[in-house]
Amino acid sequence: GENVEQHPSTLSVQEGDSAVIKCTYSDSASNYFPWYKQELGKGPQLIIDIRSNVGEKKDQRIAVTLNKTAKHFSLHITETQPEDSAVYFCAAAGGSYIPTFGRGTSLIVHP
Amino acid sequence: DAGVIQSPRHEVTEMGQEVTLRCKPISGHNSLFWYRQTMMRGLELLIYFNNNVPIDDSGMPEDRFSAKMPNASFSTLKIQPSEPRDSAVYFCASSFSATGEGPQHFGDGTRLSIL
C-alpha cells in the first residue's frame, strides 16, 4: 500500500516569513496529491491539490510542487499570517481507492 | 451550501455502552469515508463507501466496529461495546470522486470519550 511521510511535524515562523512542508510517497501509481488545513475543533479542509500531469500549482499565497521522479511534493506558503496557524496534512491517492494521509504539520505563525 | 453534517459533536459514555455516530454527506457525492484521529496514530481511514456499498473496511480496528450506509444521504458508525481506547475524534468525509482521486469534504467530527 501507499506510505506518506510528512516533515516537519512542527514548524514555527514569524509573520511574513515563508513556510515549506514536505511529503514523500511510495506508490508510483499515485496521481492525486491534496493538501488539507485543519483548524482547532474543525475537520480538515482542502486548500490546494495537484495532479501528476502538473509540476506546480499556485493559488495566491499558496503553492504546491510535485516531483514524480523523486516521489515528493511540497506545500509553500508565502507571507505567512497568524491565521495560517493550523495543522496541515498532505495526502496521496490513485494507486488504490484509499487516500493515504501524512501525519500532519503543526504550523505556528508568530505575530 | 450545507457541508458534511455529523452528529453528535461530542459524546461521553461509559465503557461497554453502544455508541452510534451519524453522518449526512453532501448531496450528490457518491463516496463516503469514515476516519479516526488520535495524537498517537494521526488520521486513520476506517472504511470507505462508494454508491452506498462498502468498498474497503480493512481499517476497521475490530469486530466491535461496524458501519452502514442505508442510502445516499446517511451513514452510521457503531461501536459495541465501547472501550476507553476508542476515545478519539471521528470524522466523516464525502467526495464526488468514485475512486478517491478527488477532494474530500470533511465534517467537523464527533469527539468521543469513553470513560
Side-chain angles (χ1 to χ4, degrees):
Chain A
E2 176 66 279
N3 181 46
V4 176
E5 299 284 340
Q6 182 172 348
H7 299 280
S9 57
T10 305
L11 180 58
S12 183
V13 300
Q14 288 295 128
E15 182 176 1
D17 288 351
S18 294
V20 180
I21 303 170
K22 299 181 179 181
C23 289
T24 61
Y25 62 98
S26 59
D27 189 344
S28 58
S30 289
N31 57 13
Y32 175 65
F33 307 92
W35 286 88
Y36 292 84
K37 175 183 181 183
Q38 185 178 21
E39 297 177 333
L40 200 61
K42 300 284 189 179
Q45 300 297 311
L46 181 77
I47 56 171
I48 194 168
D49 56 10
I50 191 168
R51 297 188 184 272
S52 59
N53 58 344
V54 175
E56 183 176 3
K57 184 176 178 181
K58 289 183 180 180
D59 183 3
Q60 300 182 2
R61 297 186 295 108
I62 293 172
V64 57
T65 58
L66 171 65
N67 184 326
K68 283 223 75 178
T69 303
K71 295 203 203 59
H72 65 70
F73 55 114
S74 301
L75 178 71
H76 304 252
I77 305 174
T78 58
E79 301 174 21
T80 53
Q81 301 167 4
E83 51 265 39
D84 294 330
S85 297
V87 179
Y88 291 81
F89 292 94
C90 64
S96 70
Y97 289 128
I98 305 172
T100 302
F101 282 77
R103 290 298 304 270
T105 295
S106 177
L107 173 64
I108 303 166
V109 181
H110 298 280
Chain B
D1 289 340
V4 174
I5 300 172
Q6 291 187 246
S7 64
R9 289 297 316 275
H10 304 275
E11 175 87 13
V12 180
T13 191
E14 294 184 347
M15 67 176 294
Q17 297 297 307
E18 178 179 290
V19 174
T20 300
L21 311 181
R22 298 173 176 79
C23 175
K24 177 178 170 56
I26 292 173
S27 177
H29 283 189
N30 57 13
S31 296
L32 184 139
F33 306 79
W34 280 101
Y35 290 90
R36 178 171 67 176
Q37 186 176 42
T38 61
M39 289 294 292
M40 289 293 294
R41 302 175 68 89
L43 198 59
E44 301 174 273
L45 180 69
L46 301 177
I47 187 169
Y48 158 53
F49 292 86
N50 181 244
N51 291 326
N52 312 337
V53 176
I55 302 299
D56 192 322
D57 64 355
S58 60
M60 297 285 264
E62 48 198 274
D63 292 345
R64 296 184 298 106
F65 285 69
S66 63
K68 294 182 180 179
M69 192 164 186
N71 56 62
S73 59
F74 183 66
S75 177
T76 60
L77 177 67
K78 188 174 292 187
I79 308 172
Q80 168 62 22
S82 58
E83 297 182 4
R85 60 194 169 117
D86 302 330
S87 297
V89 181
Y90 290 81
F91 289 104
C92 173
S94 70
S95 172
F96 61 81
S97 168
T99 62
E101 298 172 33
Q104 296 183 39
H105 298 259
F106 285 78
D108 283 336
T110 295
R111 181 172 295 277
L112 178 63
S113 298
I114 308 297
L115 307 177

